[in-house]
């Protein structure tokens, strides 16, 4: 088989795995659930949040037809609203995405289904990465829809085009991809949907606590301090990446991108481990 | 290219319990050759290691010893599975897919382009008698229908080797006949068919070659025609016979089985049974019955599994 044919065949297979992941997400109402939620938020900004521009750069906001208060700076209003959306994506949005995706890996490992998949001329790595890619795309499309929708509505209502907000799309997808690597590892290792949700959500919860260096300095024991810092450096930094995104959105200076690299390293190592375990397992 | 569709050398799978360290040889030192274009039946009691053996051919289970080859290629390499069409036992096809989408998905995984897929799917749905069901989700299918669409899935990319695990499971007699007809037409086209079935009659009627697996080892392997060629005669006579007559007629019999006041004597050929009849009639012993016998695959299977090798 020529090199070109080989690549073409690989693409056919990858597309098939990704499309199958989407079909399963549709059937489980995962995609539509996230889509409806995003649509509701977009509709909120479209119809229920009314911005009246007064004196050029100032505005008043009314929610559900009620005035919220004094005139505020329009540019600050846009940034704060976008920061609110970004915060939502990093907290509840991420939780929902992990919760919705957790079952999509164990489901392909079910007896009777996995044997048939493995009987096809596809490497196990290809199967797992295709499924992973499909999951990232499902969440990515929803995040892009929400962020672009809100961004457009705010821009059209205020006349302020603030593209920095769009960084929330890749940054949310990146963080989800890191957490999904952990979901995949747990799925492959334990085939437990419950644990595949609990552990990444646990990391999301402890991440803001671990990020507080003040707490680490208050710890009395040397070993405890070391353990705290080791956990902080080893685990994905949900809080820090969220803060970087917010700094971007609020046009603030980003102090360090180290949390991005270390989280990427975590995701890569965990995904490689998941592939290794999947390749060695008997089904 | 190898003359064998499937070839295994000292293939083995040892399962070891993580906690107790207890070891189980699911498959032990299996050397097997399946010729191209043949119909091969793999038989064995429950727990004999048949499914583990098949899974090692497909690389779903990693062997602990030996090797398996598909048309000469190492079975561990994904490309070795290009010529394989497989229908697993207790399959669980994604029920959110329609019959059409399921065939499309697995064919794409086999590397088929979209144009030939679109052409092949209606043909195969027609072949397995599900032409009207292509747009219906699999959750609405009966077990027999799932089995038939599963067979269509295995045939999508026109495989040279078909591995079927209990293909008639859950299928009614008409459907079973239909499946057999499809398999026969594939055999005529030179497709190698590897059948893992507990239905001995099905294997005997369809397969040219057979292997019996017992406790993870090959207990017997050969051509079905040769294995079942143990023709002879069964003579049934009263248990009570005068003098040394019983000893005399039993001496030339290959088997002697007493039951309910009579004795079944098995003779290998016509001359031997006629000699016994002459002796019996001379003493005016009445013959209860005389019948020609043929060894069935079931006889051979039971003899192989219950200890000794089949003596046919």
């Amino acid at each position: 088989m020529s090199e070109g044919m080989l690549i073409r065949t690989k693409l056919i297979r990858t597309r098939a795995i990704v499309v199958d992941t989407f079909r399963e997400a549709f059937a489980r109402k995962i995609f539509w659930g996230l889509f409806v939620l995003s649509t509701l938020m977009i509709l909120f900004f479209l119809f229920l949040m009314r911005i009246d521009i007064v004196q050029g750069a100032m505005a008043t906001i009314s929610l559900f037809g009620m005035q919220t208060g004094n005139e505020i700076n329009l540019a600050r209003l846009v940034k704060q609203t976008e920061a609110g959306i970004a915060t939502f994506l990093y907290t509840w949005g991420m939780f929902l995405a992990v919760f919705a995706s957790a079952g999509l890996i164990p489901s392909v490992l079910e007896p009777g289904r996995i044997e048939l998949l493995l009987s096809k001329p596809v490497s196990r790595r290809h199967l797992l990465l295709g499924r992973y890619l499909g999951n990232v795309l499902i969440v990515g499309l929803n995040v892009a829809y929400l962020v672009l929708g809100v961004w457009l509505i705010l821009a059209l209502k205020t006349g302020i085009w603030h593209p920095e907000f769009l960084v929330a799309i890749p940054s949310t997808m990146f963080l989800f991809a890191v957490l999904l690597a952990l979901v995949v590892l747990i799925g492959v290792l334990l085939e437990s949907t419950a644990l595949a949700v609990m552990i990444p959500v646990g990391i999301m919860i402890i991440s803001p606590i671990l990020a507080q260096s003040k707490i680490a300095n208050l710890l009395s024991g040397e070993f405890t301090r070391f353990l705290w810092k080791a956990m902080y450096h080893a685990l994905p930094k949900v809080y820090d990446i969220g803060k970087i995104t917010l700094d971007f959105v609020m046009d603030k200076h980003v102090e360090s991108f180290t949390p991005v690299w270390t989280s990427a390293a975590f995701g890569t190592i965990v995904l490689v481990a998941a592939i290794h375990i999947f390749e060695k397992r008997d089904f | 290219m190898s003359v064998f569709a499937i070839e295994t050398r000292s293939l083995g799978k040892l399962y070891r319990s993580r906690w107790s360290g207890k070891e189980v040889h699911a498959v032990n030192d299996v050397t097997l050759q399946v010729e191209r274009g043949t119909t091969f039946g793999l038989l064995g009691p429950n727990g004999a290691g048949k499914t583990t053996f098949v899974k090692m051919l497909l690389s779903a289970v990693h062997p602990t010893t030996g090797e398996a080859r598909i048309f000469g290629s190492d079975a561990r390499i994904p490309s070795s599975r290009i010529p394989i069409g497989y229908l697993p036992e207790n399959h669980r096809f994604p029920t959110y897919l329609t019959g059409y989408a399921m065939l499309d998905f697995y064919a794409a995984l086999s590397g088929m382009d979209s144009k030939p897929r679109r052409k092949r799917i209606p043909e195969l749905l027609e072949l397995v008698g599900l032409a009207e069901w292509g747009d219906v989700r699999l959750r609405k299918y009966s077990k027999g229908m799932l089995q038939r669409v599963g067979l269509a899935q295995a045939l999508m990319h026109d495989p040279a080797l078909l591995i079927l695990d209990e293909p008639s499971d859950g299928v009614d007699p008409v459907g079973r006949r239909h499946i057999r007809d499809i398999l026969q037409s594939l055999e005529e086209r030179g497709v190698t068919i590897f059948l893992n079935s507990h239905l001995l009659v099905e294997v005997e009627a369809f397969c040219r070659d057979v292997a019996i697996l017992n406790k993870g080892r090959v207990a017997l392997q050969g051509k079905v025609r040769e294995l079942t060629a143990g023709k002879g005669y069964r003579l049934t006579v009263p248990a009570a016979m005068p003098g040394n007559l019983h000893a005399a007629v039993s001496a030339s019999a290959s088997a002697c089985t007493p039951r309910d006041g009579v004795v079944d004597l098995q003779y290998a050929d016509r001359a031997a049974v006629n000699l016994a009849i002459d002796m019996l009639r001379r003493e005016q012993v009445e013959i209860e019955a005389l019948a020609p016998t043929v060894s069935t695959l079931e006889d051979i299977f039971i003899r192989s599994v219950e200890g000794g090798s089949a003596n046919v």
Side-chain angles (χ1 to χ4, degrees), chain A residues 8 12-13 20 23-24 27 110 112-113 115-122 124 279-283, chain B residues 13 55 59-62 78 81-82 86 90-93 96-97 105-106 108-110 112-113 153:
Chain A
R8 186 173 161 71
I12 290 171
R13 289 175 182 141
D20 182 59
R23 280 188 174 135
E24 187 166 351
E110 284 176 356
R113 187 169 171 188
E115 295 93 329
L116 189 54
L117 288 171
L118 296 178
S119 77
K120 302 297 171 191
V122 188
R124 293 186 179 201
E279 283 183 337
K280 295 287 168 199
R281 266 193 70 176
D282 289 327
F283 291 97
Chain B
K13 180 67 190 177
K55 284 183 177 181
S59 213
V61 166
H62 302 291
R81 298 191 285 278
I82 290 173
Y86 173 54
N90 300 325
H91 45 70
R92 201 179 289 179
F93 302 124
Y96 51 84
L97 296 178
F105 169 57
Y106 287 113
L109 282 187
S110 298
M112 268 180 97
D113 232 324
Q153 166 277 135

Side-chain angles (χ1 to χ4, degrees), chain B residues 44 50 72 89 99 140 148 156 165 198 206 216 264 284 311:
Chain B
K50 302 189 299 291
E89 187 191 13
K140 300 261 172 72
R148 281 188 278 155
M156 268 300 289
D165 212 339
H198 71 276
F206 181 70
D264 285 329
Q284 294 185 334
N311 184 17

Side-chain angles (χ1 to χ4, degrees), chain A residues 186-201:
Chain A
I186 296 160
V188 166
L189 200 62
L190 306 167
E191 291 181 35
S192 163
T193 305
L195 283 175
V197 174
M198 284 161 69
I199 296 173
V201 169

Side-chain angles (χ1 to χ4, degrees), chain B residues 204-239:
Chain B
E204 187 169 355
F206 181 70
C207 295
R208 274 207 296 264
D209 300 288
V210 70
I212 297 172
L213 220 55
N214 189 31
K215 293 174 185 166
R217 289 178 181 274
V218 177
L220 186 78
Q221 186 186 358
K223 301 228 169 273
V224 173
R225 193 184 294 167
E226 288 169 12
L227 293 173
T228 56
K231 285 182 182 172
Y233 297 88
R234 187 172 60 238
L235 184 64
T236 307
V237 295

Side-chain angles (χ1 to χ4, degrees), chain A residues 28 41 50 53 73 121 162 175 187 198 212 215 249 272 283:
Chain A
R28 287 169 174 242
M41 286 194 76
R50 198 174 145 201
I53 301 168
N73 182 289
H162 185 236
L175 188 61
M198 284 161 69
Q212 307 306 314
I215 299 178
V249 173
V272 168
F283 291 97

Side-chain angles (χ1 to χ4, degrees), chain A residues 120-271:
Chain A
K120 302 297 171 191
V122 188
S123 70
R124 293 186 179 201
R125 183 186 318 165
H126 194 160
L127 273 175
L128 201 65
L129 286 177
R131 197 77 178 165
Y132 177 81
L133 177 67
N135 256 303
V136 172
L137 287 178
I138 288 166
V139 171
L141 281 177
N142 271 290
V143 169
Y145 169 62
L146 173 63
V147 172
L148 280 171
V150 172
W151 179 67
L152 269 174
I153 290 164
L154 284 175
L156 291 172
K157 281 193 171 188
T158 62
I160 294 175
W161 297 85
H162 185 236
E164 285 78 2
F165 176 48
L166 299 182
V167 84
I169 300 172
S171 78
T172 308
M173 277 179 76
F174 166 75
L175 188 61
F176 175 71
V178 171
L179 291 176
L180 186 65
L182 191 59
V183 170
V184 172
L185 177 67
I186 296 160
V188 166
L189 200 62
L190 306 167
E191 291 181 35
S192 163
T193 305
L195 283 175
V197 174
M198 284 161 69
I199 296 173
V201 169
I203 287 176
M204 286 168 65
I205 292 169
I206 63 165
S207 173
I209 305 167
L210 287 175
Q212 307 306 314
S213 53
K214 284 179 192 166
I215 299 178
N217 294 335
L218 287 174
L219 294 169
S220 55
E222 189 69 31
F223 179 72
T224 323
R225 264 203 304 277
F226 168 77
L227 201 66
W228 183 283
K229 285 179 182 170
M231 277 177 73
Y232 169 72
H233 288 294
L235 294 174
K237 287 144 200 78
V238 181
Y239 172 80
D240 300 64
I241 296 171
K243 194 171 172 302
I244 289 172
T245 309
L246 284 182
D247 286 346
F248 251 107
V249 173
M250 298 299 285
D251 296 333
K252 287 183 185 169
H253 172 69
V254 177
E255 285 173 17
S256 167
F257 283 99
T258 309
V260 177
W261 315 133
T262 52
S263 298
F266 173 89
T268 308
I269 291 166
V270 165
L271 195 58

